DNA sequence: GGCGCAAATAGTGTCAACATTTCCGTGTAC
DNA sequence: GTACACGGAAATGTTGACACTATTTGCGCC
């Protein structure tokens, strides 16, 4: 974080937080960076007051760490916190799958069953080694499920923990065999959703996340 | 919220939020109350800047609602939100019970098995109609479990949703037969914890919360 | 007497200036 | 040569004033 981020010239009041959030969660502003109020104020062309409000919000979201009279810096999360977050994620995503299965008509998931089927388009993506594209599709499925769960409280919580681990999630996908394993597991819980079996779908989704945790534990030295 | 709350004369900077949080979550400051920055600034004997910071925190926690140029008021939550929160709670508390069972030595829960046993002291409390005291014990058990789960992320999330529904939870306890049913269910999941069966303990805890939801649904007209 | 428009009023949003604390470099003494 | 102390610079914390928006009040007109 040395120079002004190229696109930061927006003077709109609302989304200073949004820009910083995105920057931090994508590691465009890497962990440990110091955030100086005066510099940010100049970059965003606003007063320090607004910057300070934005910083308090980021602090509350746990994205930055502030020490009195010494400034703010982007929080680095250690592996302990990552595992804590994953446990929370397991519970929340599991519940989302359950609710989505109960609330949305079964046909909703038909297209995903087809995408994820053995020999289907998504499997071909992984075979080609295009993990990045697969990850984007997976993200879309996740958002669709959260939407179908129709629970803003859950959605907000997931949002607030994912903005901290987005980079880690992407790195996990690249670990040896992870994407292929993940696809099989995704296929499993989506099939259960298509069948309307909410209980089983939740179980499978949770097992899916636990599986990701195990992979992460095995390769943790490569991630952080 | 007309006059200054009697004890509000503290000038300490940190816990303005704490005071307001407690006031709102206990309904001492009832839903719909308008929070005027200038008035609060005078009551707490601090500058408006501090008040505004406190308000942004409360807004992020979902305790107040702010509309631009029109001020802030204590959020009223409708039944829809309450049920959303309970679904999230089911997922999170279930996970807490699972983790607590896995992480803490089994003997930890022995005292609770005894307290909750058939004909035990807690059952006697309910038979006497002292639901209030039972609720306090239950709260202590909850906190003990969260502590044993050793997961600050989960703890923070539960904290942030309970401060919104504390009043509702207490009202549910008073509904006909709810306390007695709750006790049986608590006994069940604590017994599983004592036995070290994390999977079953989680299931039972979740069933316990779903049971509370059903009671709430049945009597919702009396609650809100 | 009621309705509409305009001015006054109250309250929030924003800013620039001032006060305080921390950090870093320099100098001196041992 | 090292350690301690002092001072200056830079960044954060705090305050009061100003600008803008929405609401209400009062006046005139229908």
């Amino acid at each position: 974080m040395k120079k002004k981020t190229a696109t930061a010239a927006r003077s709109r009041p609302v989304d200073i937080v949004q820009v910083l959030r995105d920057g931090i969660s994508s590691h465009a502003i890497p962990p440990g960076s110091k955030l100086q109020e005066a510099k940010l104020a100049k970059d965003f062309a606003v007063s320090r007051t607004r910057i300070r409000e934005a910083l308090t919000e980021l602090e509350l979201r746990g994205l930055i760490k502030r020490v009195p009279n010494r400034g703010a810096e982007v929080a680095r999360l250690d592996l302990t916190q990552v595992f804590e977050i994953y446990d929370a994620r397991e519970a929340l995503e599991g519940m989302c799958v359950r609710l989505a299965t109960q609330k949305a008509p079964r046909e909703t998931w038909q297209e995903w069953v087809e995408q994820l089927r053995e020999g289907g388009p998504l499997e071909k993506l992984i075979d080609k080694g295009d993990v990045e594209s697969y990850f984007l599709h997976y993200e879309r499925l996740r958002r669709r499920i959260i939407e179908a769960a129709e629970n803003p409280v859950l959605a907000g919580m997931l949002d607030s923990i994912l903005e901290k681990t987005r980079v880690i999630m992407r790195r996990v996908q690249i670990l040896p065999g992870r994407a292929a394993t993940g696809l099989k597991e995704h296929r499993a819980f989506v099939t259960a959703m298509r069948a309307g079996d909410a209980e089983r779908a939740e179980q499978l989704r949770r097992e899916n996340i636990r599986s990701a945790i195990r992979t992460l534990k095995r390769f943790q030295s490569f991630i952080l």
Side-chain angles (χ1 to χ4, degrees), chain A:
Chain A
M1 194 58 181
K2 209 73 204 322
K3 267 299 166 194
K4 61 175 69 177
T5 49
T7 61
R10 307 188 53 186
S11 55
R12 280 300 121 248
V14 193
D15 36 28
I16 298 174
V17 174
Q18 190 62 37
V19 173
L20 291 176
R21 267 184 62 176
D22 292 346
I24 293 173
S25 91
S26 69
H27 283 203
I29 310 172
S33 308
K34 283 179 188 167
L35 298 179
Q36 289 188 13
E37 299 178 356
K39 172 184 279 288
L40 291 174
K42 210 179 59 181
D43 289 359
F44 284 98
V46 296
S47 178
R48 266 184 58 219
T49 310
R50 295 259 287 283
I51 298 297
R52 283 180 64 81
E53 277 204 24
L55 290 183
T56 46
E57 176 161 349
L58 293 175
E59 182 185 22
L60 250 64
R61 287 178 171 276
L63 292 177
I64 67 175
K65 217 184 61 172
R66 276 172 122 176
V67 288
N69 287 314
R70 290 201 38 186
E73 63 179 50
V74 178
R76 349 173 154 259
L77 38 90
D78 54 21
L79 271 171
T80 307
Q81 290 171 296
V82 172
F83 290 129
E84 286 167 10
I85 288 178
Y86 264 86
D87 280 341
R89 229 193 107 197
E90 179 193 328
L92 296 172
E93 301 254 24
M95 178 57 82
C96 271
V97 165
R98 166 186 289 252
L99 293 176
T101 307
Q102 288 169 346
K103 291 187 180 177
R106 300 185 184 181
E107 308 82 49
T108 310
W109 315 112
Q110 183 59 37
E111 60 168 309
W112 293 102
V113 170
E114 287 162 13
Q115 292 265 317
L116 287 162
R117 79 170 195 281
E118 209 161 351
L122 293 186
E123 190 166 56
K124 280 183 183 136
L125 274 182
I126 294 182
D127 286 346
K128 277 196 303 182
D130 190 354
V131 177
E132 179 65 21
S133 291
Y134 180 72
F135 187 69
L136 291 177
H137 282 276
Y138 167 59
E139 271 292 318
R140 230 183 64 215
L141 171 59
R142 261 198 67 252
R143 281 196 300 273
R144 185 70 190 85
I145 291 171
I146 291 174
E147 185 189 356
E150 291 176 336
N151 187 323
V153 176
L154 282 175
M157 291 181 167
L158 279 171
D159 195 49
S160 84
I161 66 179
L162 287 169
E163 70 189 359
K164 297 186 206 165
T165 47
R166 183 173 303 162
V167 170
I168 304 227
M169 279 177 63
R170 289 186 49 167
R171 288 187 190 157
V172 169
Q173 291 295 320
I174 301 174
L175 293 175
R178 179 59 213 162
T181 305
L183 178 133
K184 286 203 201 86
E185 292 165 353
H186 298 157
R187 181 188 300 150
F189 79 74
V190 168
T191 303
M193 292 181 82
R194 176 66 182 89
D197 190 343
E199 179 72 29
R200 182 167 162 75
E202 178 180 13
Q203 290 293 344
L204 288 168
R205 176 57 160 146
R206 290 183 62 172
E207 177 51 33
N208 168 228
I209 295 178
R210 278 198 288 265
S211 159
I213 296 179
R214 285 194 297 272
T215 306
L216 176 56
K217 273 213 167 77
R218 200 155 48 235
F219 294 95
Q220 56 181 255
S221 50
F222 295 93
I223 296 291
L224 234 162

